[in-house]
Amino acid sequence: MKKISANSLKEILDQHKLWFDTDAKQGKCAYLTNENLADVNLSDVNLSFADIRAANLSGANLSGAILEDSNLTEAKFTGANLTGADLKGADLAFTNFRAANLSGANLKGANLEGAYLNNAIGLPDVSWIEPGVLVQLNNVYDGFYVDKECKRDNFIQDSIGMFIQNNSENKTIDMLVGERIIRNIPDWVKYSGMKKIV
């Protein structure tokens, strides 16, 4: 895959900024589907609502980038720097984040179904060991903890066989795991395509 030229990328980014700043009255929303953006510097760039499906962003610097509500399905972020990136509401289904740095990234409301997060750095609250199979809780701290008393009342079995109860007031879920209850898990974990939690 041929790498996008610096001039072409600058033009796309300039048009996207104009499109965003004028509420779509001028410019053009960025369309970077299938583009080779490996090792490019996109730090602090605003690509909200952009179409970046299946793009290669391996090794790219996206620190502080705003990717809110963007479509990044099947994109490749292997080894990319996403520290402090805003990925709120982004579609990250089947995206490859292997060895990417997500420290301080905002993933609230993002779709992580089938995302590959093996060896990713700085994941909030949980880390994926093997996509679609295991989730390991990194930090058990205030607001996100294991309840030793296992009471099965009010738990329902969801579509992938996990026993959960929703906490709508703070947008978290409780999950029944063997003889434990893990409380106040961020609700995006539920939709991350995981099958088992340990």
Side-chain angles (χ1 to χ4, degrees), residues 146-150 175-182 197-198:
V146 174
D147 189 338
K148 293 179 181 176
E149 292 185 15
C150 180
M175 189 173 290
L176 189 61
V177 184
E179 295 305 312
R180 301 177 303 167
I181 297 174
I182 301 174
I197 197 164
V198 294

Side-chain angles (χ1 to χ4, degrees), residues 12-75:
I12 290 168
L13 295 177
D14 287 346
Q15 285 295 307
H16 185 82
K17 184 178 186 309
L18 182 61
W19 175 85
F20 185 84
D21 291 345
T22 62
D23 292 325
K25 293 181 177 67
Q26 298 178 53
K28 185 177 180 182
C29 184
Y31 181 81
L32 292 162
T33 297
N34 294 310
E35 291 288 355
N36 185 354
L37 300 164
D39 302 312
V40 300
N41 183 7
L42 293 169
S43 61
D44 300 315
V45 167
N46 186 346
L47 281 167
S48 297
F49 306 102
D51 189 343
I52 316 175
R53 288 171 294 161
N56 180 9
L57 289 136
S58 298
N61 180 8
L62 292 129
S63 59
I66 302 171
L67 297 158
E68 186 174 354
D69 293 312
S70 57
N71 188 343
L72 294 155
T73 55
E74 298 183 354

Side-chain angles (χ1 to χ4, degrees), residues 163-181:
F163 287 90
I164 62 166
Q165 65 181 5
N166 292 301
N167 304 314
S168 56
E169 67 282 353
N170 62 358
K171 294 187 178 179
T172 64
I173 60 172
D174 298 337
M175 189 173 290
L176 189 61
V177 184
E179 295 305 312
R180 301 177 303 167
I181 297 174

Side-chain angles (χ1 to χ4, degrees), residues 110-166:
N111 176 18
L112 287 157
E113 180 183 356
Y116 188 89
L117 292 142
N118 214 27
N119 299 322
I121 301 163
L123 288 169
D125 303 325
V126 295
S127 66
W128 287 258
I129 297 173
E130 185 178 338
V133 180
L134 294 174
V135 178
Q136 181 176 355
L137 301 177
N138 273 347
N139 303 309
V140 179
Y141 59 90
D142 183 38
F144 186 53
Y145 61 93
V146 174
D147 189 338
K148 293 179 181 176
E149 292 185 15
C150 180
K151 295 180 181 177
R152 295 172 184 257
D153 297 344
N154 302 320
F155 281 83
I156 57 169
Q157 193 168 17
D158 68 7
S159 60
I160 62 170
M162 302 304 299
F163 287 90
I164 62 166
Q165 65 181 5
N166 292 301

